[in-house]
């Protein structure tokens, strides 16, 4: 990422400072974070939210069965760690990420952005006042979208594996 792209992204990220995280959800395997009344971030690359030395949620959690699913399978007599062929991790509530999002949305206290820093590769490190850290890693070497910061009053900021740009709201979004 060149210096003008880094400056563009960092300037927009500065608008998140002191914004509270108000809701977290997912669409397919993309994480959606809402901040205050103004910003939404859509992450479709690797991410991890940590607090006090443990991972609260991570991208691959969407592919892992929820504790409720494991419990149901044990009740049905399936062997430990057996995942039935008809398991669909994308069904709402069936995966570990959905469980983590439900817990997180139940207690968003202290999840107000303290810092948001970008490195030259497009990776984002966001630290919250409570000490939790969101790490977002641009995990492609090409021009695929990694994450997007949206605001009702501004163009979308899109970070790719090889750069960043402002685009019209919703432009290029696929689900």
């Amino acid at each position: 990422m060149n210096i003008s792209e880094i400056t563009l992204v960092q300037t927009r990220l500065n608008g998140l400072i002191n914004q509270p995280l108000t809701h977290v959800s997912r669409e397919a395997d993309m994480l959606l974070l809402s901040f205050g009344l103004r910003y939404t971030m859509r992450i479709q690359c690797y991410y991890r939210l940590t607090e006090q030395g443990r991972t609260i949620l991570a991208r691959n959690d969407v592919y892992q069965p929820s504790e409720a699913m494991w419990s149901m399978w044990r009740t049905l007599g399936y062997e430990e760690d057996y995942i039935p062929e008809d398991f669909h991790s994308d069904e709402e509530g069936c995966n570990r990420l959905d469980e983590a999002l439900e817990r997180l949305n139940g207690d968003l206290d202290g999840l107000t952005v303290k810092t948001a820093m970008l490195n030259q590769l497009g990776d984002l490190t966001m630290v919250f006042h409570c000490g939790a850290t969101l790490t977002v890693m641009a995990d492609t070497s090409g021009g695929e979208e990694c994450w997007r910061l949206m605001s009702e009053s501004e163009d979308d900021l899109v970070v790719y594996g090889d750069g960043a740009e402002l685009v019209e709201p919703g432009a290029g979004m696929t689900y």
Side-chain angles (χ1 to χ4, degrees):
M1 199 175 287
N2 66 42
I3 192 69
S4 63
E5 291 169 325
I6 292 171
T7 301
L8 169 70
V9 175
Q10 191 60 57
T11 299
R12 186 65 67 88
L13 287 173
N14 289 342
L16 291 175
I17 306 302
N18 293 320
Q19 292 293 315
L21 183 62
T22 56
H23 187 74
V24 186
S25 61
R26 72 171 177 94
E27 289 181 5
D29 63 348
M30 294 178 283
L31 187 67
L32 297 171
L33 304 145
S34 297
F35 296 93
L37 299 173
R38 186 174 172 199
Y39 293 102
T40 299
M41 181 176 283
R42 184 180 91 162
I43 304 169
Q44 55 192 57
C45 59
Y46 180 80
Y47 58 83
R48 178 178 61 215
L49 178 65
T50 60
E51 186 175 28
Q52 299 177 353
R54 72 182 261 275
T55 300
I56 306 301
L57 57 87
R59 178 177 171 88
N60 284 337
D61 287 346
V62 74
Y63 304 109
Q64 301 301 318
S66 65
E67 285 303 316
M69 294 301 294
W70 286 116
S71 179
M72 180 184 72
W73 294 334
R74 282 191 295 273
T75 301
L76 293 172
Y78 293 141
E79 290 185 31
E80 192 71 25
D81 295 332
Y82 172 75
I83 299 175
E85 288 182 23
D86 62 348
F87 170 66
H88 300 286
S89 66
D90 58 342
E91 290 180 15
E92 190 172 334
C94 289
N95 62 60
R96 188 184 300 159
L97 181 60
D98 289 341
E99 284 182 331
L101 294 176
E102 186 176 331
R103 282 191 305 273
L104 186 59
N105 280 316
D107 184 17
L108 293 170
D109 290 340
L111 287 170
T112 299
V113 179
K114 182 176 181 180
T115 63
M117 297 298 298
L118 182 80
N119 71 18
Q120 65 188 19
L121 300 174
D123 300 343
L124 167 65
T125 302
M126 186 179 299
V127 178
F128 297 89
H129 284 284
C130 66
T133 301
L134 174 67
T135 305
V136 178
M137 187 170 83
D139 60 356
T140 179
S141 60
E144 295 83 19
E145 182 175 329
C146 295
W147 57 273
R148 178 183 292 242
L149 184 60
M150 300 170 280
S151 169
E152 291 181 16
S153 61
E154 301 171 298
D155 285 342
D156 291 358
L157 169 69
V158 181
V159 175
Y160 306 96
D162 62 356
E165 68 178 339
L166 295 175
V167 299
E168 290 182 29
M173 290 179 62
T174 58
Y175 294 94

